Amino acid sequence: MQPRGTGVDLLLPVLPFAAMAAVAAVELSAGPEVGYLALFSIGPAFACVSGTVRRALLVGALAFVLCTAAACYDGMFGSRRATVALASVAGVTVAAALAAALRRRAERELADVRSVAEAAQRVLLRPVPTLAAGPWALAVSYTSAAAEARIGGDLYEVVPTAVGTTRVVVGDVQGKGLDAVETAAVALGAFREAAPEEPTLAAVGARMERALDRRLEGEEFVSAVLAEIAADGAVTLLNYGHPPPLVVRADGAAQWAEPARCAPPLGLAALGPTGPKAHDLRLGAGDQLLLYTDGVTETRDHAGEFYPLLERAGLLSVDDPDGALEALRRDVAAYAAGPLKDDAAMMLLRRRSDERA
């Protein structure tokens, strides 16, 4: 989110008047021989950058009055030079008013797009159930590479089951734009429907595969990690061509949860073995599991080096899981030193102590 009230924002309202004041000072000191009268049109030209059509017209009227007064002071009123200058001010004023009208319309359209995107985000990426995992604390973070879109092709979801476990998914749709959002909606819809009722995590993945087969064409795919977590700390992972999750122990030791067998992403099942092999692990009190998309690990610095997620695992030591993810998100943004090139989604699962479980 861009900060409000920056130096440029504060300068824009006074810039037209400062420019006209400077032109008036130069014109009066230089005399009629130089001929700076036409430069009064800078005022309305700057006015169209911010403000309304009415403001642009008022600044233009002021510029016209100042140009006329300067011409009279120099004894040039009615001359060809003064007439051309006044015509220039009038022409720029009309153009500024039109530009302001177009800008205001674009701002309204952008506001509409933002409201639609925010509504889509609430439907597609719903708030995770904070208590669904029992002794587990959960936090999520989503940063879209399209700053105005607020949403992209990354996805996540948390669904409790009837037997007391919780199933989660974090995925990344190949491609960008509305097609990626539609594909993410299909994948999430299939997961939400299958996760509560399928007996195994592999069956959930198979349901998602079938749903995506009906939607995807050509080489489109969705990389994803599915996880099932139990109250006793047992975790089962299925990796469909996705970056491996990061396990951070309570003592700060960090390691990748590499899959025992590589499997192609969802939508490309025909290219590889029959699904991934389950990777089981157990997390104790204070241990954490970070699921993320490649928008995190493929972030580059000015030298082209990838973000060293394993080395930055210490940022997740913040007591509050939401605060820990926010610290990591800020570090990724600082590492990129600019807008991210790809969407970045993260989900942090932390096992609480036995007393808090």
Side-chain angles (χ1 to χ4, degrees):
M1 189 172 182
Q2 296 296 324
R4 298 182 184 274
T6 62
V8 174
D9 295 330
L10 298 175
L11 178 62
L12 286 177
V14 301
L15 187 58
F17 305 102
M20 290 188 295
V23 171
V26 172
E27 170 64 26
L28 294 177
S29 62
E33 293 80 10
V34 180
Y36 288 126
L37 291 176
L39 292 182
F40 281 106
S41 60
I42 294 177
F46 282 144
C48 72
V49 177
S50 65
T52 62
V53 175
R54 182 172 178 267
R55 183 173 184 273
L57 291 174
L58 290 175
V59 172
L62 177 59
F64 194 90
V65 170
L66 291 175
C67 185
T68 301
C72 292
Y73 179 82
D74 291 335
M76 297 178 58
F77 187 76
S79 67
R80 181 163 56 179
R81 179 183 295 179
T83 302
V84 170
L86 290 171
S88 299
V89 172
V92 172
T93 299
V94 173
L98 292 174
L102 293 174
R103 180 181 54 78
R104 297 284 288 182
R105 186 174 68 179
E107 289 174 349
R108 288 192 295 269
E109 291 175 351
L110 179 58
D112 291 341
V113 169
R114 284 175 172 171
S115 63
V116 171
E118 289 169 354
Q121 187 177 38
R122 287 193 295 268
V123 173
L124 190 60
L125 301 178
R126 303 178 300 195
V128 297
T130 55
L131 300 179
W136 294 85
L138 294 92
V140 295
S141 171
Y142 190 100
T143 304
S144 176
E148 303 302 345
R150 311 273 180 97
I151 192 169
D154 287 3
L155 57 96
Y156 59 80
E157 183 57 288
V158 179
V159 176
T161 68
V163 296
T165 62
T166 299
R167 289 170 173 170
V168 306
V169 62
V170 171
D172 185 2
V173 178
Q174 180 263 342
K176 299 182 182 296
L178 290 178
D179 287 341
V181 175
E182 292 175 3
T183 301
V186 172
L188 283 173
F191 178 80
R192 289 165 178 164
E193 180 180 343
E197 59 186 44
E198 291 292 348
T200 66
L201 199 59
V204 176
R207 286 271 292 271
M208 295 178 68
E209 180 73 43
R210 291 194 296 271
L212 289 169
D213 282 343
R214 294 191 292 267
R215 164 70 174 84
L216 301 181
E217 298 178 357
E219 298 182 353
E220 297 177 319
F221 59 85
V222 179
S223 69
V225 170
L226 275 64
E228 184 166 9
I229 58 178
D232 62 358
V235 179
T236 299
L237 300 172
L238 292 181
N239 193 311
Y240 293 86
H242 199 76
L246 180 66
V247 178
V248 183
R249 299 296 180 180
D251 60 4
Q255 64 186 60
W256 302 114
E258 296 279 1
R261 180 179 66 203
C262 294
L266 296 167
L268 299 178
L271 301 181
T274 307
K277 185 175 181 180
H279 178 77
D280 297 317
L281 55 93
R282 184 173 293 275
L283 300 182
D287 291 346
Q288 303 181 88
L289 181 69
L290 177 68
L291 309 177
Y292 58 92
T293 58
D294 60 11
V296 177
T297 50
E298 293 185 1
T299 294
R300 296 175 183 263
D301 62 7
H302 65 279
E305 298 293 331
F306 289 118
Y307 181 75
L309 178 59
L310 188 64
E311 299 174 10
R312 306 297 177 92
L315 293 170
L316 298 176
S317 61
V318 178
D319 291 340
D320 175 39
D322 288 301
L325 267 194
E326 177 62 15
L328 186 59
R329 186 197 68 78
R330 289 179 179 273
D331 191 60
V332 172
Y335 189 84
L340 299 184
K341 304 299 182 183
D342 194 7
D343 301 331
M346 295 183 287
M347 177 183 293
L348 182 64
L349 300 99
R350 177 183 295 175
R351 192 180 180 200
R352 300 187 178 106
S353 64
D354 294 337
E355 291 77 10
R356 296 180 61 190

